[in-house]
Amino acid sequence: MIEAMNGLFITFEGIDGAGKSTHIERLAQALRAQGRVVTLTREPGGTPLAEQLRQMVLNDPMDAMTEALLVFAARRDHIHRVIQPALARGEVLLCDRFTDASFAYQGAGRGFDWDILVTLERWVQGGVLQPDLTIWFDLPANVAALRLAGARTPDKFESQPQAFFERVAGGYASRMSADPGRFARINADQDAQSVWSEVDRAVREKGILS
Ligand code: TYD
């Protein structure tokens, strides 16, 4: 049972290489400076069990259904142990990826059944839990590929071809058109300061930063 909540739930999405991390940190600092209690977390992960599942999902070969079930199993544990309690305490929860990533990666990227993902989402999120705001760092797949080239050793997803990330980006676009009020689409193909200005504007428009 998902209980009523009064915290704020903000998620960050985008293809690998879109550059979410520095902006998540910066937003956390800005919110703390305004006296908010901020919890930073990520998916897959955020609990000891979900972090173990993350290692498997990011490194072990598996079919798309297994992958989908594991990311939702990790999410169930994360919601139950971290997300719901933090929101119930009235905190701001900043989560690096959430369910939109399952639609984008397992659904659009790997071709797993979209309707089954809808069912899993309803099941695991109790039909009510959704982010208050999802910041989508939108970056062309070819630009992301250049950014990732030469970076640390790629994991299973980061080593996918550009066509995979084009499909993933299409998955994010579908999720945004199904629920436009929840999303802020940021042009991530700019210098970091310009990207931050867009993030800052998006959270101010929602009344999250004053
Ligand atoms: P990422 O968030 O990019 O972390 P890091 O910056 O440490 O690489 O990596 C998580 C990966 O997991 C990313 O490639 C997307 C993938 N993923 C899924 O495939 N499905 C999901 O439901 C989630 C949450 C992530």
Side-chain angles (χ1 to χ4, degrees):
M1 171 73 189
I2 306 273
E3 290 158 23
M5 302 159 178
N6 50 16
L8 262 177
F9 184 23
I10 306 175
T11 60
F12 301 82
E13 299 284 357
I15 62 174
D16 290 86
K20 304 170 264 108
S21 315
T22 50
H23 301 289
I24 298 174
E25 276 296 333
R26 193 161 171 182
L27 181 58
Q29 281 169 18
L31 288 162
R32 285 181 180 131
Q34 295 198 345
R36 299 295 307 240
V37 177
V38 179
T39 298
L40 282 176
T41 187
R42 68 171 180 182
E43 288 210 349
T47 70
L49 173 66
E51 289 292 331
Q52 287 188 54
L53 293 172
R54 177 187 178 93
Q55 288 309 314
M56 298 174 201
V57 170
L58 265 57
N59 299 300
D60 299 337
M62 61 185 71
D63 76 347
M65 187 191 291
T66 309
E67 213 170 85
L69 293 171
L70 289 183
V71 293
F72 274 99
R75 181 161 302 129
R76 156 71 187 160
D77 194 54
H78 190 211
I79 289 172
H80 181 60
R81 293 180 191 282
V82 174
I83 297 179
Q84 274 187 275
L87 294 177
R89 290 192 300 267
E91 296 176 10
V92 182
L93 201 109
L94 303 184
C95 189
D96 187 348
R97 301 190 183 281
F98 192 60
T99 306
D100 297 306
S102 308
F103 283 89
Y105 281 77
Q106 281 65 53
R110 299 213 55 198
F112 184 64
D113 193 300
W114 198 270
D115 292 337
I116 297 179
L117 293 172
V118 170
T119 303
L120 287 169
E121 175 183 41
R122 202 162 41 228
W123 203 24
V124 167
Q125 291 163 223
V128 288
L129 177 70
Q130 281 295 346
D132 297 292
L133 172 65
T134 296
I135 300 181
W136 172 25
F137 293 82
D138 190 20
L139 185 73
N142 61 326
V143 178
L146 289 173
R147 286 190 188 173
L148 285 177
R152 57 191 178 170
T153 317
D155 64 33
K156 202 174 88 186
F157 294 106
E158 289 162 350
S159 53
Q160 291 294 315
Q162 193 177 308
F164 176 84
F165 291 108
E166 280 159 9
R167 294 197 299 277
V168 171
Y172 281 126
S174 302
R175 286 288 281 179
M176 180 166 167
S177 47
D179 193 3
R182 173 165 67 85
F183 276 84
R185 180 182 188 158
I186 303 292
N187 173 14
D189 191 8
Q190 312 178 77
D191 61 88
Q193 188 53 39
S194 309
V195 174
W196 169 253
S197 302
E198 289 199 23
V199 173
D200 185 65
R201 190 180 330 130
V203 291
R204 281 174 204 280
E205 275 171 8
K206 278 266 177 184
I208 293 169
L209 267 183
S210 47

